[in-house]
Amino acid sequence: MKSTISKVLLAAVTAAVVLSACSKVSDESKHIPKTAGLVVDLNAKQLTQKLVTNGVTMDKLFSAVQSKDTANDVMKAWKDAENSGIDLQSHFFASFVFQGQPTEHKSYVSLTASLKDATKFEAYLKKNVSDFSLKTQNDFKYIWEEKNHAVIGWNKETVIYISAVDANDLNKYAPGNAMPSPNDNEDTNQAIDSAAKATPAALVTAEDNAEAKTWVAEVDHLFHLKKDESAGTIEPFAKLLKENADVSVFVNPEAIYNSGQFTMIPANVKKLMEGTYYTGTANFEKGKVILDGSTYMGKEIAAIYKKYGKKEIDLDMLKKYPSDNITGFISYAFDFRMIGDIIKATGMDGMANMFLSGKSGLSMDDILNAFEGQLTYVASDFAITKKESEYFPGEFSDKPSAKWIFSLKVGNKDAFNKVMTSPMLKDVFAKEGDHYVITNPMMMGAGAPPMSITEKYITLGSDSALLQLYLSGKGNIKLPEGIEDKVKGNMVGGYIDIEKISKNIPEDKLDADEKPIVLSLKTLFKDFTLVGHAVSGDIQHTEAVLNFKNKDENSLVQLINFGTEAAKVMQAKQAKNKAYEDSLFAAPVDSAVAAH
């Protein structure tokens, strides 16, 4: 994490992220307010056990990832953290609390962890925080970090870290930025170096400023949350904590909408989303990563789903694809009329109809009734081949290619014909029997794919031959064993054959230094499947599985091993580049040139 995250918890949080370990249920959750818009729960103990069981320890991990120049400092910081009094084998919670207007700067991120030894933790802070100034309030101690606008508060059992957050600059907390890299991030380098080398400072007794008092009061509030103020009183969050997952995520849209951060959202939109929550988990198992997500629908949005009943994907649209070399597909069943009901519930249907009527003479209902909401996209025969440039004849380059079909099912026949003969499309298509043909190819563009438009389906294809085979209905797709049964009867089904795609990456074009990484990657993943179940009650459940080729080893261990090998390759490449640059500067000056 960057400088806004306290260097006190840097090593612990870094370890959790490096482990891809994330934590779960525990007493720390009672310090999370129900106003939190996002909560990430890291089950460090559970994932550490999965690593240790397979012989991966933090010592081996750091020594494998770090270069000789930085390994000692990083290892020293880690050993320091191990003796900090923080329970690095417990749960870590990261919560984002959005409150007030963005200009008021009242939003914050909090990190919560367990303490094994509060005395050791205090000693750790004295040693590693240069501006250490110990204070007490009620039943907890704290220090104020002026530079980071942060408070670290702790009692005998728990440590809570709070740092102010600019709600307009949350990209710094995005997953891609969450993992500090000693080689890439100067702020992180300084934080780790400071944590490793800082010397004890004398206690300071200066009074807190107004900003510090505000955040200390918030820490005090979190330590003493009443039961009805805690996120634990929200049923989806409570259910999430009971699951035995490695990684858990909770999103409360209502807490974000009502915080003042999104003042432009109309009140009726907020009312529509009232009571809606999202939860997700990730588990690292042997040979696979299992991802689960649930959408808990509020009263109004659930009523819209129930109005249109259960909808299942049309497998016939998928199964008639004529190939046994499938690289992936996505099939979706969604009643488009629900979109209309949602827009009407927000009060924006009048504006939508006015816009559509002016452009096409159509209403929103005309368009939504025209399509059934059954769509399928299938791809096969992925390859990377040499193709001639359309701009520079005679020049060839490697480009990916694939065969594919996209098909959308027509809904109400009359509504569909009304759309196709509307002022917006009447000059582009003409009806011949039950088909529509293009009357002005120029309007479609030179790169438009072959298409078939009937009163039953709109179908596009990568080439005419494939399109005709698909339309004949004689094709018979060959899916991997068990995939059809997995997606059958659901509203969403998807599959990607990662192994088949990666096999087509040409090895002769790879950078010699990076080639080992790509070759390792080609042996890592097998495929990915996605299933979205129909709404049950007021919950819509989705599950995804990332399968690895090695089914006998834990997926987290495989990811860690791949990551450490990749780090070694990149370090070797950096060292090689540096040696080359040094050799250029160290090259002797030609004597003839020197004479001049």
Side-chain angles (χ1 to χ4, degrees):
M1 300 196 179
K2 296 187 178 180
S3 58
T4 49
I5 300 301
S6 169
K7 52 181 172 283
V8 175
L9 293 179
L10 178 63
V13 175
T14 300
V17 177
V18 169
L19 291 173
S20 297
C22 306
S23 141
K24 260 271 46 33
V25 207
S26 83
D27 287 341
E28 295 90 348
S29 62
K30 68 184 180 183
H31 300 296
I32 298 172
K34 66 194 314 181
T35 52
L38 171 66
V39 181
V40 180
D41 184 11
L42 316 176
N43 194 340
K45 179 179 180 180
Q46 186 160 294
L47 289 215
T48 300
Q49 288 176 340
K50 290 182 177 182
L51 291 174
V52 172
T53 300
N54 289 270
V56 180
T57 64
M58 290 305 299
D59 288 0
K60 289 183 179 179
L61 184 58
F62 276 129
S63 62
V65 174
Q66 301 302 319
S67 66
K68 293 181 179 179
D69 293 336
T70 60
N72 290 337
D73 286 346
V74 174
M75 280 302 299
K76 185 177 183 300
W78 169 247
K79 291 298 183 183
D80 232 10
E82 281 188 312
N83 197 39
S84 67
I86 299 175
D87 188 354
L88 302 179
Q89 295 278 313
S90 67
H91 301 269
F92 291 87
F93 284 91
S95 307
F96 294 83
V97 180
F98 304 91
Q99 53 189 13
Q101 301 296 326
T103 55
E104 294 179 298
H105 304 291
K106 292 183 177 180
S107 297
Y108 65 89
V109 58
S110 70
L111 303 176
T112 310
S114 289
L115 283 181
K116 293 190 297 184
D117 191 323
T119 302
K120 281 187 176 181
F121 183 65
E122 183 176 332
Y124 175 82
L125 294 180
K126 285 182 184 180
K127 178 181 178 182
N128 292 289
V129 179
S130 58
D131 56 348
F132 180 90
S133 175
L134 183 64
K135 304 282 177 55
T136 61
Q137 179 152 321
N138 293 330
D139 54 354
F140 69 93
K141 297 179 180 180
Y142 72 91
I143 64 170
W144 165 247
E145 286 195 301
E146 181 72 32
K147 180 181 178 181
N148 292 327
H149 305 277
V151 174
I152 303 172
W154 68 95
N155 57 24
K156 292 181 178 180
E157 300 173 343
T158 307
V159 55
I160 299 176
Y161 168 90
I162 280 186
S163 179
V165 170
D166 183 348
N168 294 320
D169 192 26
L170 290 180
N171 62 308
K172 68 178 68 177
Y173 296 102
N177 293 328
M179 173 58 198
S181 170
N183 292 323
D184 299 332
N185 190 300
E186 183 178 351
D187 288 339
T188 303
N189 278 337
Q190 292 173 353
I192 292 176
D193 186 63
S194 178
K197 298 180 179 179
T199 56
L203 297 186
V204 181
T205 58
E207 290 293 324
D208 289 335
N209 59 32
E211 182 187 17
K213 289 180 180 178
T214 297
W215 294 119
V216 171
E218 189 64 30
V219 172
D220 195 348
H221 175 62
L222 296 183
F223 269 122
H224 304 96
L225 281 179
K226 297 177 182 177
K227 185 176 181 180
D228 60 355
E229 295 177 321
S230 168
T233 59
I234 301 174
E235 185 179 354
F237 183 68
K239 289 177 66 176
L240 181 68
L241 294 181
K242 293 177 182 178
E243 297 184 32
N244 190 30
D246 296 334
V247 182
S248 300
V249 177
F250 171 74
V251 180
N252 182 353
E254 193 175 349
I256 301 173
Y257 297 156
N258 293 334
S259 67
Q261 302 296 323
F262 299 91
T263 55
M264 297 301 292
I265 296 179
N268 45 10
V269 174
K270 295 180 181 179
K271 182 173 176 57
L272 176 67
M273 296 301 296
E274 189 176 298
T276 297
Y277 305 95
Y278 306 99
T279 64
T281 62
N283 284 289
F284 298 89
E285 307 298 342
K286 279 188 176 182
K288 58 187 174 182
V289 180
I290 302 174
L291 307 168
D292 285 285
S294 295
T295 299
Y296 292 82
M297 300 180 184
K299 183 178 179 181
E300 291 200 16
I301 198 75
I304 293 175
Y305 271 82
K306 290 175 182 177
K307 176 181 176 179
Y308 293 98
K310 181 181 178 182
K311 199 170 184 66
E312 300 176 0
I313 56 178
D314 185 345
L315 276 180
D316 289 338
M317 295 173 66
L318 172 66
K319 293 172 68 175
K320 64 182 182 180
Y321 186 84
S323 177
D324 59 357
N325 191 26
I326 299 300
T327 49
F329 73 85
I330 181 72
S331 294
Y332 201 95
F334 179 82
D335 199 315
F336 284 173
R337 292 174 297 175
M338 285 195 291
I339 298 174
D341 281 17
I342 291 173
I343 294 175
K344 291 172 185 176
T346 64
M348 292 189 290
D349 53 316
M351 185 182 300
N353 282 320
M354 185 182 301
F355 174 80
L356 289 170
S357 178
K359 294 287 183 179
S360 63
L362 300 169
S363 70
M364 180 179 67
D365 287 339
D366 289 333
I367 296 176
L368 296 176
N369 287 330
F371 304 99
E372 187 176 318
Q374 290 277 1
L375 61 88
T376 291
Y377 175 83
V378 194
S380 66
D381 302 281
F382 175 81
I384 296 179
T385 57
K386 289 188 179 299
K387 292 187 177 181
E388 186 174 10
S389 171
E390 54 185 297
Y391 303 106
F392 302 100
E395 290 191 11
F396 293 83
S397 60
D398 291 330
K399 291 186 177 180
S401 65
K403 295 183 178 182
W404 57 267
I405 287 289
F406 171 82
S407 187
L408 174 64
K409 200 170 189 177
V410 171
N412 181 278
K413 178 179 175 180
D414 293 336
F416 176 72
N417 285 323
K418 185 177 180 180
V419 170
M420 294 301 296
T421 57
S422 68
M424 181 173 57
L425 298 176
K426 68 176 183 179
D427 294 330
V428 182
F429 299 101
K431 190 174 184 183
E432 296 182 358
D434 66 344
H435 283 70
Y436 283 89
V437 296
I438 300 174
T439 58
N440 189 351
M442 295 297 294
M443 293 188 68
M444 299 301 294
M451 64 183 69
S452 166
I453 303 176
T454 71
E455 293 177 339
K456 293 183 178 180
Y457 296 97
I458 295 177
T459 310
L460 286 72
S462 57
D463 59 79
S464 297
L466 178 67
L467 179 62
Q468 293 307 314
L469 278 173
Y470 179 80
L471 295 175
S472 71
K474 297 179 181 179
N476 187 15
I477 196 171
K478 184 177 180 180
L479 295 172
E481 184 178 354
I483 296 298
E484 181 179 339
D485 290 338
K486 184 173 288 189
V487 303
K488 184 178 181 180
N490 294 298
M491 64 179 290
V492 180
Y495 171 78
I496 301 175
D497 192 326
I498 304 174
E499 181 180 14
K500 190 173 290 183
I501 293 172
S502 63
K503 278 183 178 179
N504 286 282
I505 299 175
E507 297 179 9
D508 59 332
K509 300 296 182 181
L510 297 175
D511 180 281
D513 294 322
E514 298 178 1
K515 186 175 182 178
I517 300 178
V518 178
L519 294 179
S520 295
L521 189 61
K522 291 174 75 169
T523 64
L524 189 63
F525 300 116
K526 185 178 187 299
D527 57 32
F528 177 81
T529 59
L530 172 69
V531 173
H533 299 282
V535 177
S536 177
D538 61 353
I539 303 174
Q540 195 275 319
H541 181 68
T542 302
E543 60 187 40
V545 179
L546 175 62
N547 288 305
F548 289 62
K549 295 180 72 173
N550 182 349
K551 297 181 180 180
D552 299 322
E553 189 173 41
N554 185 276
S555 57
L556 178 60
V557 174
Q558 293 188 55
L559 288 172
I560 291 294
N561 288 336
F562 171 76
T564 53
E565 287 302 314
K568 290 178 181 178
V569 170
M570 296 309 296
Q571 286 174 4
K573 184 176 182 179
Q574 290 174 357
K576 180 180 177 181
N577 291 339
K578 186 177 185 303
Y580 175 71
E581 292 172 1
D582 291 344
S583 68
L584 291 179
F585 286 109
V589 180
D590 185 272
S591 58
V593 175
H596 290 285

